[in-house]
Amino acid sequence: MSLPISASSAEQPAVQNPWVLSNEGMTVLYGCPEMPRLSHYFLPRLLFAKKQILYLDGANQISPLLLARFARERGVESSNVNSLIRVARAFTCFQLTELVRRVPKTLEKCPADVLIVTALPDLYFDEDVQDRPARASFEHALEGLQQLAPLQLPIAVFSDATSFKTKRHDFFKKLRNQADHIVKVESDSESSLSFTREKYTPLLSA
């Protein structure tokens, strides 16, 4: 995948360093179907700065081959990169909720500098799951993320929610409302990407 970056629209501020995640609060990145895969391209800066990453993969997209390529391009042993990222996969919305709620306990055993979550709330749009349990599970996931605020753990959520036709789009609205930062990523016919900051909340230092 080629990832050229185009300028954002004049109405909204462009993101100056598009591949750098915020080091505070929760950031939601959305806007194009490739969002789960694009999450990989935010990893090199973190991994080669020796940041520990907890990656909750609801999209089943994490690619060891791509991570190995990043390491090879920088002349680093892939084992050194792999040791810095802990991946937990979720195949249902209930599993993803449980992973989110377990984050504090997971951090006790495996400290992390950044939390990445994919397919939130996409995974909760599964039509095989009835609306009421899906809604309850999603609310629990949001509560779990909110409870992480005292830990001052940067959180990045990569969502493809806007690609779905579903009656549960209020899930994404609730996620947006809870987010401290929102970045919309769009691709054009030439496969270039634009990053537009839709929300930025300066956080008070403790």
XYZ file of all heavy atoms in Angstrom, residues 5-52:
379
model
N 0.649 11.520 1.306
C -0.214 12.349 2.140
C -0.555 13.612 1.386
O 0.320 14.299 0.873
C 0.474 12.700 3.464
C 0.786 11.407 4.227
C -0.385 13.621 4.301
C 1.641 11.630 5.436
N -1.834 13.916 1.300
C -2.264 15.137 0.624
C -2.657 16.181 1.651
O -2.816 15.883 2.833
C -3.457 14.843 -0.295
O -4.575 14.458 0.483
N -2.824 17.397 1.187
C -3.205 18.478 2.094
C -4.656 18.311 2.516
O -5.492 17.838 1.753
C -3.024 19.824 1.406
N -4.975 18.727 3.744
C -6.357 18.689 4.216
C -7.100 19.906 3.719
O -6.516 20.845 3.200
C -6.375 18.654 5.749
O -5.819 17.462 6.228
N -8.413 19.887 3.875
C -9.226 21.001 3.441
C -8.911 22.242 4.266
O -8.467 22.147 5.406
C -10.707 20.652 3.581
O -11.027 20.392 4.925
N -9.178 23.405 3.692
C -8.837 24.653 4.370
C -9.754 24.927 5.554
O -9.406 25.687 6.445
C -8.919 25.805 3.378
N -10.950 24.326 5.570
C -11.908 24.635 6.624
C -11.476 24.098 7.978
O -11.850 24.611 9.008
C -13.292 24.059 6.263
C -13.974 24.748 5.085
C -13.489 24.216 3.756
O -12.668 23.270 3.772
O -13.924 24.737 2.721
N -10.726 23.009 7.978
C -10.349 22.382 9.230
C -8.840 22.211 9.266
O -8.192 22.047 8.231
C -11.043 21.025 9.369
C -12.560 21.171 9.514
C -13.243 19.830 9.501
O -13.074 19.028 8.588
N -14.028 19.555 10.519
N -8.258 22.248 10.477
C -6.804 22.193 10.577
C -6.239 20.830 10.194
O -6.768 19.795 10.591
C -6.545 22.487 12.064
C -7.813 22.081 12.754
C -8.919 22.373 11.774
N -5.173 20.843 9.414
C -4.495 19.605 9.058
C -3.690 19.114 10.253
O -3.348 19.871 11.155
C -3.575 19.841 7.868
N -3.373 17.842 10.259
C -2.535 17.261 11.294
C -1.088 17.388 10.841
O -0.709 16.868 9.798
C -2.912 15.787 11.524
C -2.026 15.183 12.598
C -4.379 15.672 11.922
N -0.279 18.089 11.609
C 1.083 18.379 11.178
C 1.936 17.120 11.075
O 2.712 16.960 10.132
C 1.724 19.383 12.131
C 1.093 20.773 12.054
C 1.810 21.778 12.930
O 2.632 21.408 13.767
N 1.488 23.045 12.744
N 1.829 16.241 12.052
C 2.601 14.991 12.043
C 1.617 13.825 12.029
O 1.291 13.266 13.070
C 3.515 14.905 13.279
C 4.534 16.017 13.296
O 5.273 16.205 12.333
N 4.579 16.758 14.388
N 1.102 13.459 10.846
C -0.023 12.518 10.780
C 0.269 11.140 11.332
O -0.657 10.452 11.756
C -0.339 12.465 9.282
C 0.907 12.910 8.602
C 1.512 13.914 9.510
N 1.534 10.706 11.338
C 1.833 9.360 11.810
C 2.281 9.338 13.268
O 2.811 8.347 13.751
C 2.896 8.707 10.927
C 2.466 8.644 9.492
C 3.003 9.314 8.439
C 1.385 7.883 8.941
N 2.337 9.025 7.278
C 1.338 8.149 7.552
C 0.446 7.000 9.493
C 0.393 7.565 6.703
C -0.496 6.434 8.653
C -0.510 6.704 7.278
N 2.066 10.450 13.968
C 2.426 10.540 15.380
C 1.143 10.607 16.205
O 0.329 11.517 16.023
C 3.289 11.781 15.666
C 3.625 11.857 17.153
C 4.566 11.737 14.839
N 0.957 9.653 17.094
C -0.231 9.629 17.939
C -0.085 10.624 19.079
O 1.025 10.909 19.534
C -0.446 8.221 18.502
C -0.767 7.127 17.492
C -0.779 5.763 18.176
C -2.094 7.400 16.798
N -1.206 11.140 19.553
C -1.186 12.029 20.703
C -0.651 11.278 21.909
O -0.925 10.080 22.096
C -2.601 12.542 20.996
O -2.610 13.297 22.186
N 0.102 11.978 22.729
C 0.660 11.331 23.922
C -0.216 11.543 25.147
O 0.240 11.353 26.282
C 2.087 11.824 24.189
C 2.146 13.329 24.405
O 1.116 13.996 24.451
N 3.339 13.862 24.546
N -1.464 11.928 24.926
C -2.381 12.097 26.044
C -3.822 11.872 25.584
O -4.172 12.115 24.433
C -2.247 13.500 26.639
C -2.492 14.610 25.639
C -2.266 15.993 26.232
O -1.785 16.086 27.361
O -2.593 16.975 25.546
N -4.633 11.364 26.491
C -6.051 11.193 26.207
C -6.350 10.094 25.198
O -5.495 9.283 24.848
N -7.606 10.070 24.731
C -8.045 9.070 23.755
C -8.252 9.732 22.398
O -8.980 10.720 22.282
C -9.346 8.407 24.202
C -9.822 7.321 23.231
S -11.222 6.360 23.835
C -12.584 7.504 23.597
N -7.617 9.179 21.389
C -7.743 9.658 20.021
C -8.518 8.642 19.201
O -8.198 7.451 19.231
C -6.353 9.867 19.376
O -5.595 10.782 20.173
C -6.492 10.418 17.964
N -9.520 9.101 18.475
C -10.262 8.244 17.550
C -9.853 8.621 16.132
O -9.926 9.788 15.740
C -11.785 8.404 17.719
C -12.539 7.660 16.605
C -12.219 7.886 19.086
N -9.393 7.629 15.367
C -9.038 7.824 13.971
C -10.004 7.014 13.123
O -10.191 5.816 13.359
C -7.596 7.397 13.700
C -6.534 8.166 14.509
C -6.069 7.310 15.686
C -5.330 8.534 13.642
N -10.621 7.667 12.139
C -11.641 6.990 11.342
C -11.667 7.620 9.958
O -10.957 8.583 9.678
C -13.006 7.141 12.007
C -13.674 8.468 11.712
C -14.687 8.560 10.754
C -13.263 9.654 12.345
C -15.280 9.789 10.459
C -13.852 10.866 12.048
C -14.859 10.926 11.102
O -15.441 12.137 10.786
N -12.501 7.062 9.069
C -12.753 7.743 7.815
C -12.578 6.928 6.558
O -13.154 7.248 5.526
N -11.759 5.880 6.586
C -11.608 5.064 5.381
C -11.541 3.594 5.779
O -11.167 3.261 6.905
C -10.386 5.470 4.565
S -8.808 5.255 5.375
N -11.921 2.697 4.879
C -11.992 1.266 5.214
C -10.664 0.652 5.619
O -10.645 -0.408 6.235
C -12.508 0.637 3.908
C -13.207 1.735 3.195
C -12.435 2.976 3.525
N -9.544 1.310 5.283
C -8.238 0.748 5.587
C -7.750 1.078 6.996
O -6.597 0.798 7.337
C -7.186 1.241 4.575
C -7.431 0.824 3.139
C -8.399 1.756 2.426
O -8.767 2.790 3.024
O -8.791 1.454 1.284
N -8.590 1.679 7.836
C -8.130 2.148 9.141
C -7.434 1.088 9.982
O -6.371 1.353 10.545
C -9.286 2.760 9.932
C -9.763 4.102 9.422
S -8.444 5.297 9.068
C -7.599 5.383 10.627
N -7.972 -0.141 10.098
C -7.261 -1.136 10.911
C -5.851 -1.411 10.392
O -4.902 -1.536 11.175
C -8.155 -2.375 10.814
C -9.523 -1.824 10.566
C -9.292 -0.644 9.661
N -5.702 -1.490 9.065
C -4.365 -1.713 8.512
C -3.480 -0.483 8.692
O -2.280 -0.591 8.957
C -4.455 -2.091 7.026
C -3.086 -2.321 6.379
C -3.211 -2.905 4.992
N -1.934 -2.977 4.313
C -1.003 -3.898 4.521
N -1.217 -4.848 5.417
N 0.131 -3.900 3.852
N -4.065 0.700 8.559
C -3.281 1.922 8.728
C -2.711 2.045 10.132
O -1.709 2.737 10.336
C -4.147 3.141 8.413
C -4.448 3.416 6.943
C -5.369 4.623 6.813
C -3.172 3.636 6.154
N -3.332 1.385 11.088
C -2.808 1.445 12.459
C -1.360 0.980 12.521
O -0.585 1.446 13.360
C -3.672 0.598 13.397
O -3.559 -0.793 13.097
N -0.965 0.083 11.610
C 0.415 -0.414 11.594
C 1.419 0.708 11.373
O 2.533 0.668 11.908
C 0.601 -1.453 10.486
C -0.097 -2.755 10.733
N -1.440 -2.920 10.528
C 0.374 -3.954 11.156
C -1.778 -4.176 10.823
N -0.700 -4.821 11.208
N 1.036 1.699 10.575
C 1.985 2.732 10.185
C 2.216 3.767 11.279
O 3.078 4.638 11.147
C 1.529 3.393 8.878
C 1.580 2.416 7.730
C 0.502 1.586 7.450
C 2.728 2.274 6.960
C 0.550 0.651 6.421
C 2.789 1.346 5.930
C 1.702 0.545 5.671
O 1.755 -0.390 4.662
N 1.457 3.658 12.359
C 1.701 4.490 13.528
C 2.649 3.788 14.507
O 3.098 4.405 15.475
C 0.387 4.805 14.245
C -0.520 5.713 13.478
C -1.329 5.224 12.461
C -0.567 7.071 13.762
C -2.166 6.070 11.739
C -1.405 7.921 13.048
C -2.199 7.421 12.036
N 2.934 2.531 14.261
C 3.731 1.741 15.198
C 5.231 2.012 15.155
O 5.873 2.010 16.213
C 3.473 0.249 14.979
C 2.036 -0.233 15.202
C 1.928 -1.726 14.920
C 1.571 0.072 16.619
N 5.846 2.197 13.972
C 7.311 2.330 13.950
C 7.866 3.395 14.884
O 8.846 3.145 15.605
C 7.608 2.646 12.477
C 6.522 1.958 11.734
C 5.306 2.148 12.600
N 7.284 4.591 14.894
C 7.790 5.649 15.765
C 7.758 5.226 17.227
O 8.630 5.589 18.018
C 6.974 6.928 15.588
C 7.264 7.673 14.292
C 6.401 8.922 14.199
N 6.654 9.663 12.983
C 7.567 10.611 12.852
N 8.316 10.931 13.882
N 7.730 11.241 11.705
N 6.722 4.486 17.595
C 6.601 4.020 18.970
C 7.593 2.910 19.270
O 8.322 2.953 20.262
C 5.173 3.524 19.222
C 4.056 4.560 19.094
C 2.698 3.866 19.127
C 4.146 5.598 20.204
N 7.631 1.919 18.381
C 8.474 0.753 18.623
C 9.957 1.098 18.624
O 10.719 0.593 19.455
C 8.179 -0.318 17.568
C 6.784 -0.941 17.641
C 6.528 -1.825 16.421
C 6.622 -1.759 18.917
N 10.366 1.978 17.707
C 11.788 2.301 17.631
C 12.189 3.375 18.630
O 13.363 3.703 18.747
C 12.165 2.657 16.195
C 11.924 1.494 15.258
C 10.918 1.536 14.305
C 12.659 0.328 15.388
C 10.673 0.449 13.480
C 12.411 -0.766 14.573
C 11.419 -0.711 13.612
N 11.201 3.887 19.370
C 11.475 4.711 20.545
C 11.393 3.846 21.799
O 11.432 4.366 22.915
C 10.474 5.857 20.636
N 11.259 2.524 21.564
C 11.197 1.523 22.635
C 10.003 1.726 23.566
O 10.084 1.519 24.779
C 12.516 1.487 23.424
C 13.705 1.113 22.561
C 14.911 0.773 23.382
C 16.107 0.416 22.489
N 15.826 -0.734 21.607
N 8.876 2.124 22.977
C 7.636 2.230 23.728
C 6.929 0.876 23.751
O 6.859 0.185 22.739
C 6.709 3.269 23.091
C 7.268 4.676 23.032
C 7.365 5.299 24.407
C 7.791 6.759 24.309
N 7.889 7.393 25.654
N 6.410 0.514 24.901
C 5.646 -0.723 25.032
C 4.213 -0.464 24.574
O 3.588 0.519 24.981
C 5.645 -1.192 26.489
C 7.017 -1.513 27.051
C 7.479 -2.908 26.679
O 6.697 -3.720 26.196
N 8.743 -3.204 26.915
